Structure formats: structure tokens, C-alpha cells
Amino acid sequence: MKRGILISEHERSRTPSSRRPRQGGPGSAADRAAAADAADRATDPPRGTWSRRRRRVVANLTGWTFAGPATLIIVALTLFPAGWAFLISREHWNGFTPPRSIGWANYRTMASDPDLRAAVDHTVLFTVLYVPIVLVLGIFVATALNRSIRFIAFYRTAVFVPLVVSAAATGILANYVFDPQFGLANNALRALHLPRQGFLTDRHEVMWVIALIYLWGDLAFSVIVYLAALQDIPQDIVEAATLDGANRWQVFRHVTLPAVAPITVFVGVWETVSVLQIFELVLTTTRGGPLGSSQTVVYFIYNQAFELSRYGYGSAIAYALFAATLLLTLGLFAYSKRSKSEAF
């Protein structure tokens, strides 16, 4: 009977099998086994998920197998010396006798050290003198090299070659060029009937000469970066400005400069950090002379730590330089973000 109506045997045979009771009753072992299988299928992830996870794990392990040793070496050569230098900065140690803890005395000594203040002044002067010059010359030289002219490959190579020369080799070469007695620079001045200059031996000229030497070897970096940025400027914009009546200077001012503004921020930050760490050129040319007029902060650290064996004081100055460089870099990043010319 179905809903109070008698049904025939034929209709009863057409009833779906799922509605028929299983053998053994509703609580039989077959029902329990079927329910367990359904639960396992519901909780187990698909086979594709397991294969993707396995491939990801294998790929990560493979990558770290190659990168792991180099990573450990880098960590060992950076983090460990940095931490050890901080411990040394709070000690009085000459490298031979047992170290003696003196707290923050080395950091307090920096505030009243006239030699350190002079080194900071020289470094700041060099930075203020050099960075704007390398930015201006870099973009103008890159603009000149971003043209289809004859022998352009030769000109680009001539600008790039000094970049691959080490700072030490550049300093040794500069000693022959700017020697006050037999240098090529004074020979050229003598041929022009101009007075002889002291160059690296004159305390009023030495920082200008070092800036010129450093510019010769480092200008290629900013030129290469600017040249790559100039080649990425869409020519449609330049052609549109030209059709609107803009001359070369107006195109450069209103199209090129805004387009390379992020690159200018990048080059400015890079050159500032590099100049604050200048050392090899000073070591191979003047060794801080004459009378300490070319002594930079990094050379002063070298002198205190490795020549005077004041390792604690040298480490303290190194950490102060690191803090100053970090704050200056963050300030430049904030300025670039505020001016909407981010490069990082």
C-alpha cells in the first residue's frame, strides 16, 4: 500500500533499490563499513593535492640544497662578525691582552674626539661635493650616449672601462698623474704656462682631487643605469612632445627628467652609501694626509683599529657609521615616497 492506495506487484518491483532495506538491518556491519568508507573519502584530500604538495616540498629541498651552503657562508661572514664587533665596541681591547668591559665609554668618547669630528667633516664635504656632480654628469653623459651616432659603441666602452678598474689601481695610477714634481697634470700646466699645483699634497685641494679621481672611476655606473632608463622611455611620448612644438631642452626637462626620477633616487642612494664608505682610494693616494685633511670616517676606523690597535673604539665608530647610513637611507626612501618617485 502506498499512501493508503494498494499497489500491484509490478509497481512494487519498480521501487528503487536504494529504498530497499539492506540485509542484516539498519545497524548491520555492512552499513557501518559503508559509512566509514564515506567518511574517509570525505576527509582525505584529493590525490592531486598530495602530488602538488610533494612537488613543492621536493622543489624547496632542491633549491635549499644548492643555496643552503652559500647562505650559511654569508650569514657566518656577516651576522657573526657584526655581533662580535658590537661586543668589542663595549670593551677596551688591543688585540693582545684580555678585553676589559667598559660599557658605553667608547661611544661617549666619540662625542669629544676632534680627530673623528674632522673625519666626519671631510666625509660630509666629500659626499655633498660628489653626489650632485655624479647625478648631473651621469644623466647628461647618458643622454649624449643615447643617440645613433658614429662610433657610439666605442664611446660607450670608453666610459665603461674605468668602472672595471679597482679603486686601489685607480689610486696608484692617480699618484703618477698628480705627483707635484713629475706628474702629468703639472706637466700639462707647465706647458700652458700655468702655476704648478700641489694637488694631493695641498690640504686645500686634496679633497677636490680625490673627488675627481673617484668620479673618473665611478661615473660609468650612473651612466649605465641612466642609459638603461632612457632606452625604456616610450618614443611615442617624445614624438608627441616634439610634434607639439617642444624643443630638445623642453623634451629633456618635461619628459625625460620626470621619467627617470625613480632612477635618480636609486642612483642618489647608491652613490651616497658608496661615498660614505670610501676607503681604498684614500689609502692608496694620501693615507689621510696631508695633516689629516683627507681622512674619511672609514679610514679613521681603519687607523684606530688596525694601526693603533684600538679595536673597541674602532668598532664603536663603525656602528655609529652604520646607524648614520641607515638613517640617511631611510630618510631618502621617505622623501622619494613622498615625492612619488619611488625606485625600490
Side-chain angles (χ1 to χ4, degrees):
M1 181 177 291
K2 183 178 182 182
R3 297 183 181 179
I5 301 176
L6 295 175
I7 59 177
S8 63
E9 293 294 335
H10 177 70
E11 292 177 348
R12 187 180 302 171
S13 63
R14 296 174 58 185
T15 303
S17 59
S18 59
R19 297 182 181 178
R20 296 177 184 176
R22 296 178 180 272
Q23 294 180 356
S28 62
D31 288 338
R32 291 193 296 270
D37 292 339
D40 292 339
R41 286 193 298 270
T43 55
D44 289 344
R47 293 183 178 180
T49 303
W50 279 111
S51 60
R52 285 194 297 271
R53 291 179 180 176
R54 189 178 298 109
R55 286 195 298 268
R56 190 183 306 115
V57 171
V58 172
N60 291 335
L61 291 178
T62 303
W64 279 109
T65 300
F66 290 98
T71 303
L72 292 177
I73 294 175
I74 293 174
V75 170
L77 294 178
T78 54
L79 296 182
F80 175 73
W84 191 29
F86 179 73
L87 296 178
I88 296 176
S89 68
R90 303 183 74 251
E91 297 176 341
H92 177 77
W93 185 45
N94 60 4
F96 301 98
T97 61
R100 177 170 54 89
S101 178
I102 57 176
W104 303 100
N106 287 325
Y107 293 90
R108 290 191 294 267
T109 304
M110 291 189 300
S112 58
D113 190 347
D115 294 333
L116 175 60
R117 190 178 301 111
V120 172
D121 293 339
H122 298 155
T123 305
V124 172
L125 173 63
F126 187 84
T127 304
V128 174
L129 177 68
Y130 178 80
V131 175
I133 294 177
V134 75
L135 291 177
V136 174
L137 286 181
I139 190 170
F140 276 106
V141 174
T143 304
L145 294 178
N146 190 32
R147 301 170 59 188
S148 298
I149 58 178
R150 195 175 183 183
F151 303 118
I152 187 62
F154 171 77
Y155 298 144
R156 292 177 179 178
T157 303
V159 172
F160 176 76
V161 165
L163 183 63
V164 301
V165 180
S166 65
T170 302
I172 295 173
L173 177 63
N175 286 326
Y176 292 99
V177 175
F178 295 103
D179 186 88
Q181 299 295 331
F182 310 102
L184 296 178
N186 271 327
N187 288 336
L189 293 178
R190 191 179 300 110
L192 297 174
H193 304 286
L194 295 176
R196 183 177 60 87
Q197 301 297 321
F199 294 123
L200 295 175
T201 60
D202 190 330
R203 57 181 306 181
H204 301 291
E205 300 177 2
V206 60
M207 293 306 297
W208 293 89
V209 177
I210 290 178
L212 179 63
I213 300 170
Y214 195 78
L215 179 66
W216 177 81
D218 188 63
L219 178 63
F221 174 80
S222 60
V223 171
I224 292 171
V225 176
Y226 273 123
L227 184 60
L230 292 174
Q231 293 177 352
D232 286 340
I233 298 177
Q235 292 300 317
D236 298 340
I237 302 177
V238 179
E239 293 175 359
T242 304
L243 292 176
D244 289 339
N247 54 31
R248 288 186 177 182
W249 169 250
Q250 291 173 335
V251 171
F252 177 79
R253 179 181 177 183
H254 298 287
V255 177
T256 303
L257 287 182
V260 300
I263 304 302
T264 302
V265 175
F266 168 76
V267 175
V269 172
W270 182 275
E271 294 293 346
T272 301
V273 175
S274 300
V275 169
L276 290 176
Q277 299 176 0
I278 183 173
F279 168 70
E280 299 94 337
L281 189 59
V282 176
L283 178 66
T284 55
T285 54
T286 63
R287 300 188 68 87
L291 300 176
S293 57
S294 64
Q295 187 167 237
T296 59
V297 175
V298 177
Y299 185 82
F300 185 80
I301 295 172
Y302 166 81
N303 185 48
Q304 293 293 317
F306 299 104
E307 293 189 0
L308 301 180
S309 298
R310 301 177 64 185
Y311 292 100
Y313 188 51
S315 299
I317 301 173
Y319 260 91
L321 176 62
F322 167 74
T325 305
L326 180 62
L327 292 177
L328 181 60
T329 304
L330 293 177
L332 292 175
F333 284 167
Y335 172 77
S336 65
K337 185 176 182 180
R338 185 177 304 174
S339 60
K340 297 181 180 180
S341 57
E342 301 180 50
F344 298 90

